[in-house]
């Protein structure tokens, strides 16, 4: 599929595909799943930071010369969509130790797959911040769009949202592009399609369950 100017797919290097090969294997141990997922998450976070605004900054180097550099031009906030989004928090804090973190808890109904908002807690000044929305899975995009709505109600402009996403379906990306076209998406893989059960194909299983060890099963969603 064409990705569009606000959809950024990580370079599909052999190394990235090898990491996906480990974690997509239904026989992958949880230890390997967490280890290699976290390596991919680190790449996603580093790329996501490239889509935030920077401004010029000059510093004087130890030899007394001027370096014409850059610095972040905006205040930042990260918002994981609990539960799977919390898998990204450890790497986030390694990259941005002092970052503010809001929370949104959205769970899909097991049967209908429709998202339900249970809880939110966001910084009071979030409307003045750029937001890294940590949502690893974009299947129907129902959960992601519900989270974008919650941020919108708090005053966050869609163009100030960068969605950090591990795996996306073409259907999910198209839906975000249609309903929230100003949101930037950074992802490590775009799947073939959604099946009739709204599972991504070839898929990775239930990311939250596999990451947090709440199931022994492989492919579920
Ligand atoms: C999963 C995943 C996403 C959502 C993606 O969450 O973490 O939030 O589904 O599917 P969608 O694009 O069709 O909405 P789930 O509700 O299964 O909870 P979890 O985070 O606890 O795994």
């Amino acid at each position: 599929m064409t990705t569009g100017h606000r959809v950024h797919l990580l370079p599909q290097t052999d190394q990235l595909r090898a990491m996906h090969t480990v974690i997509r294997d239904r026989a992958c141990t949880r230890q390997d799943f967490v280890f290699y997922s976290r390596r991919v998450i680190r790449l996603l976070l580093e790329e996501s930071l490239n889509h935030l605004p920077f401004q010029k900054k000059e510093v004087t180097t130890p030899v007394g010369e001027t370096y014409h550099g850059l610095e972040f031009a905006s205040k930042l906030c990260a918002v994981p969509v609990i539960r799977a989004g919390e898998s990204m928090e450890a790497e986030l804090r390694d990259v941005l130790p002092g970052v503010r973190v809001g929370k949104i808890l959205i769970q899909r109904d097991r049967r209908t797959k429709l998202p339900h908002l249970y809880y939110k807690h966001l910084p009071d000044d979030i409307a003045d911040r750029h937001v890294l929305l940590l949502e690893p899975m974009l299947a129907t995009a129902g959960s992601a769009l519900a989270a974008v709505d919650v941020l919108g109600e708090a005053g966050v402009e869609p163009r100030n949202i960068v969605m950090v996403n591990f795996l996306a379906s073409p259907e999910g990306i198209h839906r975000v592009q249609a309903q929230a076209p100003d949101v930037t998406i950074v992802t490590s893989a775009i799947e073939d399609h959604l099946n009739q059960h709204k599972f991504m194909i070839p898929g990775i299983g239930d990311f939250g369950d596999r990451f947090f060890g709440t199931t022994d099963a492989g492919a579920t969603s």
Side-chain angles (χ1 to χ4, degrees):
M1 68 173 286
T2 52
T3 49
H5 73 291
R6 289 202 187 267
V7 180
H8 303 277
L9 178 64
L10 289 187
Q12 299 294 293
T13 61
D14 288 351
Q15 185 187 186
L16 178 62
R17 295 201 51 213
M19 291 192 282
H20 266 267
T21 305
V22 173
I23 59 186
R24 286 166 182 265
D25 185 343
R26 66 191 306 166
C28 176
T29 63
R30 193 164 80 87
Q31 191 176 13
D32 277 352
F33 187 86
V34 171
F35 180 82
Y36 288 101
S37 296
R38 286 173 66 161
R39 283 190 56 194
V40 175
I41 288 166
R42 183 66 168 255
L43 297 176
L44 286 167
L45 287 167
E46 295 285 1
E47 175 59 22
S48 296
L49 297 183
N50 286 331
H51 300 283
L52 298 173
F54 287 80
Q55 63 193 11
K56 288 181 180 172
K57 180 177 181 177
E58 293 181 353
V59 292
T60 305
T61 70
V63 291
E65 293 297 322
T66 300
Y67 177 73
H68 302 278
L70 295 171
E71 65 178 357
F72 278 129
S74 167
K75 293 190 290 185
L76 190 60
C77 177
V79 179
V81 179
I82 307 170
R83 177 186 55 151
E86 291 189 306
S87 64
M88 295 180 161
E89 273 197 49
E91 273 57 46
L92 175 80
R93 289 181 187 279
D94 279 352
V95 176
L96 301 165
V99 70
R100 284 174 195 249
V101 180
K103 300 273 180 176
I104 298 177
L105 171 54
I106 293 172
Q107 293 275 287
R108 293 173 309 169
D109 181 279
R110 290 277 169 201
R111 191 177 52 82
T112 66
K113 308 295 183 195
L114 293 174
H116 185 76
L117 172 68
Y118 287 93
Y119 173 81
K120 60 177 174 176
H121 198 120
L122 305 169
D124 289 341
D125 65 347
I126 194 166
D128 302 329
R129 294 175 180 272
H130 276 68
V131 174
L132 291 177
L133 180 61
L134 311 182
E135 171 51 287
M137 298 289 114
L138 200 59
T140 67
S143 306
L145 287 168
V148 169
D149 282 348
V150 170
L151 294 174
E153 286 164 14
V156 180
E157 301 271 356
R159 63 187 157 84
N160 291 343
I161 299 173
V162 178
M163 191 184 303
V164 188
N165 169 255
F166 203 106
L167 212 66
S169 72
E171 294 88 337
I173 288 176
H174 287 144
R175 202 169 156 208
V176 173
Q177 287 176 322
Q179 295 185 30
D182 292 334
V183 170
T184 295
I185 301 173
V186 175
T187 187
S188 75
I190 299 176
E191 298 296 276
D192 290 342
H193 63 280
L194 284 182
N195 71 9
Q196 71 272 28
H197 303 295
K198 311 297 185 196
F199 297 158
M200 286 189 271
I201 303 298
I204 200 167
D206 187 309
F207 192 88
D209 277 340
R210 294 187 78 194
F211 192 92
F212 293 112
T214 44
T215 182
D216 292 330
T220 48
S221 74

